[in-house]
Structure formats: C-alpha cells, structure tokens
Amino acid sequence: MEINAIQAVLIIILAGIRAADMYSTQLFPFMHALMCWLVGIILGDAYTGLVVGGTIQLMSMGAAGLGGSSAPDYGMAGMTATVLAIATGNGDISVGLTVGVAVAMLYVQLDVIFKIYNSWVFKTIRSFCEKENYPAMLRSFFLSHIYLFLQGALPMAIVIFFGQTAVEAILAIMPAWFTQGLSVAAGILPVTGFAMLLTFMPLKKSWPFAIIGYVAAAYLGLTVLPIALLAGMIAVEYFKLHTQGLSAAPSVAGDAAQISGGELEDE
Amino acid sequence: MSNGFFKPANISVDGFEEPLPTPKADGSYDPVLTKEDLDVCSRRMWLMDTVSYSYATQNAPCAAFAAYYALRKIYGGDRAGFNKAMLNQLDCVFNATPPVSGLILGAGLAIEDAGHEAGQQAENDLKIGLMGPVSGIGDVFIWILPMTILGSIAGYMAMEGSPVGILLWLLIWAGLLVWRLQNYNQGYNAGVSVITSMADKISVLTDAASILGVTVVGSLIYNTVKLHTPLTFQYGEIALPVQEGVLDLIFPNILGILVTVLVYRLIKKGVNLSMIILGIIVVSCVCAAFGILG
C-alpha cells in the first residue's frame, strides 16, 4: 500500500516522541507493542501492528536491564518492521522484522553520539550556571529533548521514504531459502528476550518455577494470564511465609531474611 | 512551563529579593520546604528523568534541574550560596533508577534544607552511597519485573491480535507515574535510616516477585519460541516424522527449550547480543536451505 503524507507525518512524529519519551518523561518506555499497534492503527492495519509489536516485545524483554548501546533499539526495530510489513503488504512479517532489527542495530549506535552531545549540553548548562544566567541555564536542559526527538524522527523519515523500495528490491532478488530462513528466524528470535531476562533473574533460587510454568503451558494447556495468576498466588504465599518471622521479631528481621535466603540457596 | 506544575507559585526564577536566611544558634537552619515544593521537584525530575545523562557527571544535571526551585527557596536571598549549591548539584555524580531517585534526592534535600552549605558534603555522600542499593531495588521493581510480567503478557496477547495486555500495562504504569510525581516527599520525610533499612525487607518481596516472573517466562518459552523440523526418518515403507514422532514425545517444544538454554549460556558468557541475533538469522537460513528447520 501507499503511505500518504498525513500517515507519514504522524508516524515520524510518533517516532520522535517515542525516542524523547524513552529517556525523559517515560510515559510508555519499552512499550514496543504499543508503538507498533499505534503505527498499525495509523496505517489502517492494527492487526499486523499488534503481531509485529508482540514479537518485538518478546524479543526485547530484559533489554531494559542492559541500557546503552549493548542491545538493538527495539522500539525503532518494531516501528520500522511494522511500517515495512504493512507497506509491502504480502502478509509475511519476517522480512520486515529482519530489516527492522538490522535498522535498530545501526540506530542504537546513535546512542553514543547522544551521550557525547550531552557532554556539550552539560558544559553549556554549567557555564550558564557559573555566569548566574539561570533562565538560559534552565532552557539549555531542553536541548537534549530536542536532539532525542530528531534522533527518533529523522531515521524514521528515511525508513518511510526509502524503506519500501529497498525491501521490494531485496524481495525481488532474494532466493527462496533466504525468505524461508527469515521466517524460521522470526520464530526463534523471541528467545533472545527470554534468555536475556533470565540472566537478571535469581535462577539458582527459582529455577523450579520455570518448569512449573512450562508444565502449565505445555501439558495443562493454560494461557499466560491464568498462569500469571497462579504464580502470583504462589508468590503471595512465599512472601507471607518468609515475612512471618520478620513481623514477630522485628529486632532480628535482617537475620531471619538472610537465614531463609540461605536455606533456599542450599536446596 | 506553567506556573504551579513545574514551578512553585510563590518564587521567582532568579529575583533573589527574599530575605537572607539566618542560622540558628547551633548553625543549622529552619527547614523551609513544603509538600508543594517537593511535589514540584518530583514533577521536574519526571520531565528530565535521564535525558541529560552524559559521561561527565552521569545524571547529575537532571537532579540539579529537579532541585532548582527547592534550592531557590532554601537559600532565599543568598545569591552566592544558591550558586554554590547549584554547581554542587551539577558536579556531584549521580545515577539511580530515575522513577525511584526521588527517594534519595528528597532525603538529600532534607539535609541541605537544615544544614545549607554545611550539609552539602553529607548530601553528596548520601546520594553516592545510596544510588547503588536503591537502583538495585528500583531496577527490579520498575524495569525487570514489569517487563517480564506485563511486557510478556502484552507481547504474547498482541501476537494473538489482542491489545488487552498492552492496555493493562499502560494502566498499571500510570499508577507508578502518579506515585513518582510526588516521591521526593517520601525521601524527604523518611530520612536516611529508613531508606537504608528498607532494603532488607524488600529482598523478600524481590524473591517472591521473581517467582512470578520465572514462572511466566517458563510458560512463554513453550508458547513463543517456535522451532519445527520437517525431517523424517525413512525405514523402507515406514516414515517417522522427527518432530511429531520423536521430539514432541520427549518434551513438547524441546528444540525451543534447548535454544533458550544455549542463548542463555552465550549471554552469560558475555557474547554480544547483536552477534547472537545475527547468528540466529544465519543458522536459520542455513538450516532452512538444507531442510533441517522449516
């Protein structure tokens, strides 16, 4: 489908706001599924937006704990992938997804430039402070917001104006095994999110619960909401069990927590 | 910036027409900050969050921006004292999980409110000392757990074509936002000792919450990591599909679990995530070309 001017402007603004919001107001940080859904709504295909967004969301889990330029910028990946999947419109999201991730790997390098730029902003702020020019000092802080907006918006403009042609050119010369490989990869890629997340979890202590979750999904066929509820109830009981001692004898609260933690570690 | 939300109504940007603050007999000062002033700090911190992060003093500029009007009020007509306090804020390295950093910065302002310039060293020590432990808790409760539980539910439901999980996430996140828009107050009122001892009790809560997270991840690995092999064993006339006839009988989606374990190991070893993603794409293409995966 053709992206019209209004749609293009809306998506570019959304990309700019997302980039600025990510580091400042954080109204929807890391909510890649939301961003893709919104792009889908703007382009008139909310469903594709949700499917792409969901996949990117699962890929990105755990990336919040990394920060900086050590992981692709998944928000950019998701929005690019949604635009390309809907614009090329062949129903297969895997090509858009791969191009989106590639774009996001390049995009995240801009993070380093942002931090260098911020060093200059800091110098500006500090010199205004030394000169006691406080209104100018307070205004200078917003140089960072403006830069971030442009950092999000400009690459998205490039994607919108050249992305579709580029992807169609790739599709035209691409052998069948490559397309097939990309859709296999699209099925596997969410694994990076889970694996990354697990590295932040106390797996030594709580690995049995990973198996409980697996059994509930694989053998009992439960969906994610009832599983989350069940696990939530186990967590509540665990918390009650381990805080009983704490409230009864507040003077040894720290010790009790340490002992119970130690016991679990040994098991 | 409108008067009231990001700026207290009763103070100018840089008039310094207020009276000079006068110390009490013991050299300390009467605290002047009100709930309204601290709310303004929280809102200003929200506006900045971590936007000014640089290699120089990390997130210190954001803390300085947030504290601006609180410091104006503390130092009143003391123009030189205010300037020194602002430079101190800008130069004291600070970096904590932004939604909870109001707890530390609020406690710091409480010290400066009572001690003025004499309190700045203690304030800086407090900020540097607490930013690690408080971020440890903040990262888990603000980022890792919501990402795991709400993010994975939102992602999984979105893949199925439903936005319900996304809306649920937005709703709960909005609750956190309401809290952080006033959290300098908790820091200011709690003082140093409470914030330090809070960490002990929260460790039990962290463990409990990670039970929830790990269970959900366990179920989602089965549901969302999709690998299928079209390979088939041929025994003369009899064909045995490897996926349905062998692998699924051992454990459903065993390939997905093995790949998760492999990638987990690679990340633990410090392999760059972008390399892992590229590797997955390359291996997928090769396996698809030879009909091993599909």
Side-chain angles (χ1 to χ4, degrees):
Chain A
M1 62 163 277
E2 279 296 313
I3 298 172
N4 66 39
I6 299 167
Q7 289 170 328
V9 169
L10 285 176
I11 292 172
I12 291 168
I13 291 174
L14 184 67
I17 291 175
R18 182 202 73 85
D21 176 73
M22 170 91 189
Y23 283 103
S24 61
T25 44
Q26 297 200 324
L27 293 171
F28 18 74
F30 301 104
M31 296 190 188
H32 313 310
L34 171 72
M35 287 299 136
C36 297
W37 184 37
L38 291 176
V39 171
I41 290 171
I42 292 171
L43 293 177
D45 186 355
Y47 178 80
T48 303
L50 281 172
V51 175
V52 173
T55 311
I56 288 285
Q57 189 73 57
L58 295 179
M59 269 181 78
S60 74
M61 297 203 324
L66 291 175
S69 50
S70 40
D73 186 291
Y74 288 105
M76 188 65 192
M79 293 180 81
T80 304
T82 309
V83 168
L84 295 179
I86 294 175
T88 50
N90 56 0
D92 181 11
I93 63 165
S94 61
V95 177
L97 214 54
T98 315
V99 176
V101 170
V103 168
M105 283 177 185
L106 294 176
Y107 175 89
V108 77
Q109 304 309 322
L110 297 175
D111 201 67
V112 180
I113 300 174
F114 173 58
K115 296 217 166 93
I116 293 167
Y117 171 83
N118 258 353
S119 301
W120 172 76
V121 174
F122 175 72
K123 280 195 190 114
T124 311
I125 289 169
R126 205 179 181 291
S127 76
F128 278 129
C129 187
E130 280 172 340
K131 290 175 202 144
E132 302 196 22
N133 185 351
Y134 298 118
M137 180 191 90
L138 291 178
R139 274 198 301 276
S140 306
F141 280 91
F142 293 92
L143 289 169
S144 300
H145 294 78
I146 294 166
Y147 175 91
L148 279 174
F149 181 87
L150 296 174
Q151 182 185 300
L154 295 180
M156 183 49 77
I158 295 172
V159 165
I160 285 182
F161 292 124
F162 302 106
Q164 190 177 353
T165 327
V167 168
E168 274 161 5
I170 296 170
L171 281 174
I173 56 160
M174 207 161 60
W177 58 264
F178 192 60
T179 348
Q180 178 72 20
L182 290 190
S183 59
V184 170
I188 304 176
L189 282 176
V191 78
T192 54
F194 296 121
M196 206 166 18
L197 197 57
L198 288 174
T199 59
F200 294 110
M201 297 280 199
L203 259 199
K204 244 184 200 169
K205 257 189 208 177
S206 51
W207 63 267
F209 295 99
I211 294 172
I212 290 177
Y214 169 76
V215 168
Y219 295 100
L220 304 180
L222 294 176
T223 57
V224 66
L225 269 178
I227 293 173
L229 280 175
L230 280 176
M233 294 310 103
I234 298 174
V236 168
E237 283 304 315
Y238 176 93
F239 184 72
K240 275 158 67 180
L241 205 66
H242 288 262
T243 43
Q244 264 168 4
L246 290 185
S247 53
S251 58
V252 291
D255 299 341
Q258 268 177 358
I259 291 164
S260 60
E263 276 171 7
L264 268 176
E265 203 90 69
D266 295 338
E267 275 168 18
Chain B
M1 273 186 284
S2 63
N3 261 24
F5 197 74
F6 291 120
K7 175 182 178 309
N10 53 356
I11 199 148
S12 64
V13 177
D14 61 346
F16 299 104
E17 63 281 325
E18 297 87 357
L20 273 174
T22 42
K24 293 189 287 195
D26 61 353
S28 73
Y29 294 79
D30 282 322
V32 292
L33 295 183
T34 63
K35 180 178 184 309
E36 165 67 11
D37 298 329
L38 293 162
D39 283 349
V40 166
C41 290
S42 310
R43 295 175 197 140
R44 291 173 73 82
M45 189 63 201
W46 163 71
L47 191 63
M48 286 294 127
D49 204 87
T50 179
V51 78
S52 303
Y53 188 98
S54 73
Y55 297 118
T57 57
Q58 303 192 356
N59 212 26
C62 296
F65 182 89
Y68 186 82
Y69 289 105
L71 294 176
R72 273 286 289 116
K73 190 152 183 195
I74 290 173
Y75 290 94
D78 182 3
R79 180 187 281 268
F82 172 76
N83 189 253
K84 225 177 155 196
M86 265 327 276
L87 287 171
N88 175 54
Q89 291 280 339
L90 285 172
D91 290 342
C92 173
V93 173
F94 182 71
N95 185 30
T97 312
V100 295
S101 51
L103 293 176
I104 307 171
L105 297 171
L109 281 178
I111 299 174
E112 189 157 3
D113 198 3
H116 287 213
E117 205 183 315
Q120 280 168 14
Q121 189 54 48
E123 182 188 9
N124 294 351
D125 292 345
L126 168 87
K127 277 157 73 173
I128 293 165
L130 279 185
M131 66 190 201
V134 170
S135 297
I137 298 162
D139 282 345
V140 170
F141 280 91
I142 305 292
W143 295 131
I144 295 173
L145 284 171
M147 281 290 276
T148 324
I149 297 154
L150 297 168
S152 60
I153 290 172
Y156 178 67
M157 290 180 90
M159 276 176 93
E160 312 273 293
S162 159
V164 172
I166 298 174
L167 297 174
L168 182 74
W169 191 2
L170 268 177
L171 198 72
I172 293 175
W173 190 255
L176 178 91
L177 184 66
V178 171
W179 173 76
R180 77 172 287 195
L181 283 178
Q182 54 78 56
N183 66 5
Y184 271 65
N185 281 291
Q186 272 97 53
Y188 186 89
N189 296 329
V192 185
S193 61
V194 177
I195 293 181
T196 316
S197 72
M198 196 176 69
D200 289 342
K201 279 177 195 157
I202 283 190
S203 74
V204 180
L205 192 59
T206 313
D207 283 350
S210 68
I211 289 177
L212 178 52
V214 171
T215 313
V216 170
V217 170
S219 77
L220 282 173
I221 289 168
Y222 167 76
N223 271 323
T224 51
V225 182
K226 295 196 183 81
L227 276 89
H228 177 269
T229 174
L231 287 179
T232 309
F233 286 135
Q234 282 287 350
Y235 305 104
E237 290 293 295
I238 307 156
L240 180 65
V242 173
Q243 181 81 42
E244 291 81 6
V246 183
L247 296 175
D248 284 351
L249 296 184
I250 305 172
F251 285 122
N253 197 7
I254 188 172
L255 290 176
I257 293 159
L258 291 177
V259 170
T260 311
V261 172
L262 177 69
V263 174
Y264 172 80
R265 288 258 164 89
L266 289 175
I267 293 176
K268 274 262 168 180
K269 276 194 181 145
V271 179
N272 186 300
L273 192 66
S274 295
M275 294 312 293
I276 295 176
I277 292 174
L278 280 178
I280 288 174
I281 293 174
V282 170
V283 172
S284 298
C285 287
V286 172
C287 289
F290 289 98
I292 301 168
L293 291 172

